[in-house]
């Protein structure tokens, strides 16, 4: 169910509840649409901040992309409105918050949980790619969990709508593909690389190329300096999937279709996207 679609929203349409968090550019509150009682997350961004950081174009692009994407594993943006000082985004409410917090709390996930998240992410990315969207900034902080523990990709700030190879430096260090680190042209396959990084991080609790300095992480990424610490909890099937995603030549990375059919995913993932 959606809140009633409406041309012109205003703050009067919502009862504001507790704060959910604070991001770089604004605060997020749980809120309820007065008429339908539909619960949403309301992200409030001060226009002054948008001007200061010159990000209004980025925000508009983020909003246009997110509003058009409708998938169970992509956080819905239902609409937006503004007043003289603020822009408000009406977002799907992710009751269980950040996946990153869950990972920090548990240290690492079980193979079943990790595979379920990877399958959900793969399905969401396949949908994005079909719609010519490359996310480019998939990382645990941008992944939220709904009331059933279903993964939701949030934050389309860095994503681009693309049909050709792109050449701009962006993303977050540990999750960057070698072609992005080296500032080369890149395409959809950057998201496939990131799936390999996340799969590793979900199972071991740390990203694979972590290093003391940024320069060392860069070097490790470029060399694909990948090793698997001994762990009785991580199967050879999982390591096989990771090794086939963290491949320097982007054209040789496992495709999203092949990830969905990989034995480790078939054996461990819950196709409904929920973890026990
Ligand atoms: P952001 O400004 O998007 O980085 O959001 C700041 C924090 O608010 C996040 O780290 C989340 O903990 C929380 N948050 C953001 N969006 C939602 C949402 N749709 N549902 C629940 N919590 C959210």
């Amino acid at each position: 169910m959606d809140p009633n679609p409406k041309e012109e929203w205003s703050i009067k349409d919502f009862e504001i509840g507790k704060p959910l968090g604070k991001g770089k550019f604004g605060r997020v509150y749980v809120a309820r649409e007065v008429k339908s009682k539909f619960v949403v997350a309301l992200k409030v961004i001060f226009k002054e901040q948008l001007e200061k950081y010159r990000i209004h174009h980025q925000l508009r692009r983020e909003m246009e992309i997110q509003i058009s994407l409708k998938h169970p594993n992509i956080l819905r943006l239902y609409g937006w409105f503004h007043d003289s000082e603020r822009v408000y985004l009406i977002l799907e409410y992710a009751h269980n918050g950040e996946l990153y917090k869950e990972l920090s709390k548990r240290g690492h996930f079980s193979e079943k949980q990790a595979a379920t998240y990877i399958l959900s992410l793969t399905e969401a990315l396949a949908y994005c790619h079909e719609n010519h969207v490359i996310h480019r900034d998939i990382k645990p902080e941008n992944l939220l969990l709904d009331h059933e523990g279903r993964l939701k990709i949030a934050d389309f700030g860095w994503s681009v709508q693309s049909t050709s190879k792109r050449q701009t430096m962006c993303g977050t260090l540990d999750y960057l593909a070698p072609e992005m680190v080296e500032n080369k042209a890149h395409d959809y396959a950057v998201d496939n690389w990131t799936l390999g990084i996340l799969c590793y991080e979900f199972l071991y609790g740390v990203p694979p190329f972590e290093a003391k300095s940024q320069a060392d992480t860069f070097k490790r990424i470029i060399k694909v300096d990948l090793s698997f610490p001994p762990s009785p909890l991580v199967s050879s099937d999982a390591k096989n999937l990771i090794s086939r995603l963290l491949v320097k030549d982007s054209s040789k990375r496992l495709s999203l279709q092949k990830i969905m059919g990989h034995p480790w995913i078939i054996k461990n993932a819950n196709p409904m996207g929920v973890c026990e």
Side-chain angles (χ1 to χ4, degrees), residues 20-24 26 28 41 43 75 91-94 97-98 101 144 155:
L20 292 169
K22 190 168 176 266
K24 224 190 287 169
V28 184
K43 189 170 186 170
L75 195 80
L91 291 162
E92 179 179 358
Y93 175 41
E98 285 176 41
K101 283 201 188 126
L144 298 175
D155 207 338

Side-chain angles (χ1 to χ4, degrees), residues 138-206:
I138 306 280
K139 53 184 175 179
E141 294 89 326
N142 286 344
L143 304 176
L144 298 175
L145 298 170
D146 75 1
H147 60 291
E148 291 181 307
R150 189 176 284 106
L151 175 146
K152 305 272 173 178
I153 302 182
D155 207 338
F156 279 75
W158 278 120
S159 58
V160 280
Q161 239 159 348
S162 161
T163 47
S164 63
K165 287 220 167 196
R166 308 263 328 164
Q167 219 172 349
T168 42
M169 185 71 181
C170 61
T172 306
L173 196 63
D174 271 299
Y175 305 90
L176 283 183
E179 60 271 29
M180 286 180 80
V181 170
E182 294 183 297
N183 208 10
K184 290 183 182 159
H186 56 269
D187 60 12
Y188 300 103
V190 295
D191 287 338
N192 301 43
W193 171 276
T194 309
L195 282 174
I197 302 279
L198 281 174
C199 191
Y200 187 107
E201 187 169 8
F202 289 168
L203 293 168
Y204 291 99
V206 284

